[in-house]
Amino acid sequence: LNSRIYVLPDFDRPGGGPPRLVTEQWPSYWHGISPDGQTLLYCARRQNQWDVYRIGVNGGPETRLTDAPGLDDGPEYSPDGQWIYFNSHRTGRMHLYRWFAHPAPTARRWPTLLTSRTSRASTPSAAR
């Protein structure tokens, strides 16, 4: 449970450099990157709660995007960067949710449920 997120060096550049730590806190499990390559989405356990977070590829403060009880996991940006998709066990069953990514998901506290209450969802994967 001590997983952290690193950014690998640019291997096309001479010298590339060492992997760079992005998330200071752990555990943090990377899932998605924004279409512009500037923001990472990941799930992390903080205060004994699994939620979805966002951070810049150069590190800095992390932003907690979800705060419902239960596991929130598998965040991904849509190919156009307008939506964030994730799965959550907040209702007692795993379901797929989305919300508008800009200016910030925290402006809308309740994401839209995309799967039916009787179905189950798995980790989203946005086709690019």
Side-chain angles (χ1 to χ4, degrees), residues 12-65:
D12 292 334
R13 275 191 347 207
R20 187 171 27 85
L21 179 65
V22 176
T23 55
E24 296 290 333
Q25 297 185 59
W26 68 86
S28 301
Y29 297 95
W30 173 72
H31 279 276
I33 187 166
S34 61
D36 66 5
Q38 297 302 304
T39 306
L40 303 175
L41 293 175
Y42 57 100
C43 65
R45 185 176 179 195
R46 308 287 185 261
Q47 294 86 40
N48 213 25
Q49 174 68 33
W50 287 98
D51 285 304
V52 172
Y53 289 81
R54 175 171 56 195
I55 197 167
V57 294
N58 294 317
E62 64 182 11
T63 301
R64 182 179 178 185
L65 301 179

Side-chain angles (χ1 to χ4, degrees), residues 48-118:
N48 213 25
Q49 174 68 33
W50 287 98
D51 285 304
V52 172
Y53 289 81
R54 175 171 56 195
I55 197 167
V57 294
N58 294 317
E62 64 182 11
T63 301
R64 182 179 178 185
L65 301 179
T66 62
D67 60 2
L71 172 67
D72 293 331
D73 189 23
E76 285 282 350
Y77 279 99
S78 61
D80 64 5
Q82 295 301 306
W83 299 97
I84 294 174
Y85 292 87
F86 69 99
N87 59 48
S88 177
H89 199 264
R90 62 184 60 200
T91 64
R93 295 184 85 156
M94 193 61 78
H95 288 287
L96 181 63
Y97 293 83
R98 80 167 185 187
W99 66 57
F100 192 57
H102 301 287
T106 53
R108 181 171 176 214
R109 297 306 300 171
W110 300 109
T112 302
L113 175 65
L114 297 178
T115 52
S116 74
R117 299 238 179 246
T118 57

